[in-house]
Amino acid sequence: MKRHLLTLAIAATLLPLAAQAAPRVYGQLNLSVDYTDSDLMPSADVWQLNSNSSRVGVKGAEKLTEEYTAVYKMEWAVNGDMGGADLNARERYIGIKHYQWGTVRLGFIDAPFKNAEDDIDAFNDLTHLDMDNFLTGQNRLNNSINYVSPKFLDVFGANITMQPGEQTRSVSENHLADGYSAAFSYEDDSLYLSYAMDKDITSEVPGVIVGVATGMGALPPATTSYSEARDAMRFNVRYKMNDLTLSAMLQKSEASNNLNTFADKLDEDAIVLSGSYKMDAITLRGQVSKVKFDAGKNFVGAGNDEVDTTLIGLGADYNMTENTKLFGNLAVVKNEITIGGASADVDVTILSVGTEVRF
C-alpha cells in the first residue's frame, strides 16, 4: 500500500511538468552554388557558394487555461558557408493566444505587410533572387506590438502591428503607434486575396544588383541601398487549380515625408507574377517581376531620374523527401538606369544549383 501511495505521489508531482509541452527545435540549411554573369563589369562574373536564409530556432506553446495559451519563438540566422556573421537575430516573440479572440505578441516580428506576400516569391530565401533584393516592404519590425486574429467564418483574417517610435527617428516620436503595418485577407481552398499597408515603417530601399553604370557622372537612384520611413500598399491574389498555382502582386510605396529631394522622394511601383506546377516529386516554378523607382527630376535635375528592374526566371525543385530537396534556378535581371537625361542598361544572368534540408 505504501509503495502504491508513493507512486501516486510522484505521479502527481510530475503531472504539471508532463502537461507543459516541450519546446521544439527546428531549422533549415539551404546552400547553393551560384554563377553571376554581368555584362557591365567582367570582374563581377563570379562563382559563389551561398547560404540562403539558413536558420535555426526554438518555439513552443504552453496551455495556461482552457481558453489561454502562451506562445513563444526565438530564431537565428546561420551561415552554412561561414561567409559572414553568424547567429544574427531573426523573428522572436512571446505572446498570449485566446482560442476565440486571437493572439497578441510582443517582440521582433515579421511585418504584416511582408507576410501578406503569401507564396508569390518563386525564389524566396535565395541570396541573389529573393524579391527583398528588388523592392521595399520586406521588413521584420523591432518593438512590435502585434495582433493576429482568428479566422472569421473560416476565411477572413487580420494581422496588425503597432510600432512605438521610442524617439529613434525624432524626439516627437514617442507614441504607442508612431508606425503601423496591417494586412487583411480572405482565403479558402483555392483562392487567397489580401490587402496590406505600411504607414511610417522604416524600410530598406534596395540597390541595383551589380554596381554602377560608369561614365554617367553620378550614382543613379537606388544604386546603393539605404533605409527610410515609407508608406506603402500591397495587393495579393493566389489561385490554385489542382497542381497549378498562379499568383500576382501589385505594390506602391513612397517616402513618408515625401520632401522634394532625391532621398525623400523615390516613388515605387512594382508588379510580380509567378506560378508553379507540381508533377509528383518535381515542382516547376517561374516568375516575372518589374519594379520602378522614380525620383522625378530630383537627383540631377536634367531629366526624369529612375531605375527600372525587370526579373524573368525559371526554377525546378526535386523533392527527395518531405524535408529535403534539390533545386536549380536560371534568371535574367535587367536594370535600366536613367539619370540627368543619360541612360545605361545593366544585365545580369544568375544560375544556381543547390539543396535544402529542413528539420
Side-chain angles (χ1 to χ4, degrees):
M1 175 64 73
K2 291 182 179 180
R3 186 176 303 163
H4 291 310
L5 290 175
L6 179 60
T7 302
L8 290 173
I10 294 174
T13 302
L14 295 179
L15 186 59
L17 297 179
Q20 180 177 345
R24 183 173 79 86
V25 177
Y26 68 95
Q28 73 176 43
L29 281 175
N30 185 316
L31 296 171
S32 64
V33 178
D34 303 332
Y35 175 68
T36 304
D37 179 12
S38 167
D39 67 356
L40 176 65
M41 298 179 294
S43 60
D45 300 351
V46 295
W47 288 94
Q48 295 176 313
L49 176 65
N50 285 309
S51 180
N52 305 297
S53 293
S54 298
R55 69 200 68 164
V56 65
V58 58
K59 60 183 177 181
E62 180 182 355
K63 188 172 182 179
L64 304 176
T65 68
E66 291 300 316
E67 297 183 344
Y68 292 96
T69 301
V71 295
Y72 57 91
K73 176 181 179 180
M74 294 188 70
E75 189 173 283
W76 296 265
V78 297
N79 281 299
D81 62 342
M82 289 309 295
D86 209 5
L87 294 180
N88 288 333
R90 287 177 57 91
E91 195 172 45
R92 51 199 55 198
Y93 58 77
I94 187 170
I96 300 295
K97 179 179 180 179
H98 186 273
Y99 80 103
Q100 194 172 23
W101 298 339
T103 305
V104 174
R105 302 180 296 171
L106 307 176
F108 183 44
I109 303 171
D110 287 346
F113 189 90
K114 177 180 186 297
N115 279 338
E117 75 178 56
D118 189 54
D119 296 326
I120 183 69
D121 193 357
F123 304 110
N124 188 47
D125 287 343
L126 297 181
T127 298
H128 293 305
L129 295 177
D130 190 299
M131 68 183 192
D132 291 22
N133 292 294
F134 310 108
L135 49 73
T136 66
Q138 301 298 97
N139 301 308
R140 186 172 294 120
L141 304 180
N142 55 5
N143 306 322
S144 286
I145 303 171
N146 173 252
Y147 168 73
V148 180
S149 75
K151 281 290 185 70
F152 300 111
L153 303 177
D154 292 327
V155 293
F156 295 101
N159 186 354
I160 301 169
T161 288
M162 299 184 299
Q163 188 182 39
E166 300 188 358
Q167 296 186 351
T168 56
R169 287 177 288 190
S170 72
V171 294
S172 64
E173 291 183 325
N174 194 26
H175 306 93
L176 186 63
D178 284 309
Y180 60 85
S181 179
F184 306 93
S185 63
Y186 169 92
E187 185 174 16
D188 59 28
D189 292 338
S190 59
L191 179 65
Y192 168 82
L193 299 170
S194 71
Y195 167 73
M197 62 179 296
D198 274 354
K199 178 65 176 176
D200 259 334
I201 294 296
T202 298
S203 183
E204 183 173 338
V205 179
V208 174
I209 193 169
V210 286
V212 183
T214 58
M216 297 183 65
L219 297 179
T223 294
T224 53
S225 62
Y226 64 95
S227 295
E228 66 178 359
R230 295 185 69 84
D231 301 338
M233 59 181 180
R234 172 179 285 183
F235 300 90
N236 271 80
V237 57
R238 180 214 341 123
Y239 187 68
K240 184 175 181 180
M241 299 173 288
N242 298 319
D243 294 324
L244 176 65
T245 301
L246 300 174
S247 300
M249 185 183 82
L250 296 176
Q251 177 170 311
K252 295 180 70 69
S253 77
E254 63 182 12
S256 297
N257 50 12
N258 209 21
L259 300 177
N260 291 320
T261 64
F262 155 63
D264 294 312
K265 190 179 185 302
L266 193 59
D267 297 337
E268 175 193 36
D269 291 281
I271 180 170
V272 182
L273 305 173
S274 70
S276 66
Y277 184 73
K278 291 185 177 181
M279 301 182 299
D280 296 324
I282 297 176
T283 301
L284 303 178
R285 298 173 282 103
Q287 182 171 316
V288 177
S289 64
K290 186 174 182 64
V291 184
K292 177 181 179 180
F293 286 103
D294 187 355
K297 297 182 179 180
N298 295 315
F299 189 60
V300 175
N304 291 322
D305 306 326
E306 65 182 47
V307 172
D308 293 344
T309 300
T310 302
L311 178 148
I312 301 174
L314 297 172
D317 300 337
Y318 176 65
N319 300 292
M320 304 178 68
T321 67
E322 184 178 356
N323 297 317
T324 301
K325 70 178 182 181
L326 303 175
F327 63 86
N329 302 294
L330 176 63
V332 176
V333 181
K334 183 180 182 66
N335 299 285
E336 300 173 87
I337 305 166
T338 302
I339 58 170
S343 61
D345 292 344
V346 181
D347 295 342
V348 186
T349 300
I350 301 168
L351 175 66
S352 301
V353 178
T355 185
E356 177 184 274
V357 177
R358 299 190 178 201
F359 57 89

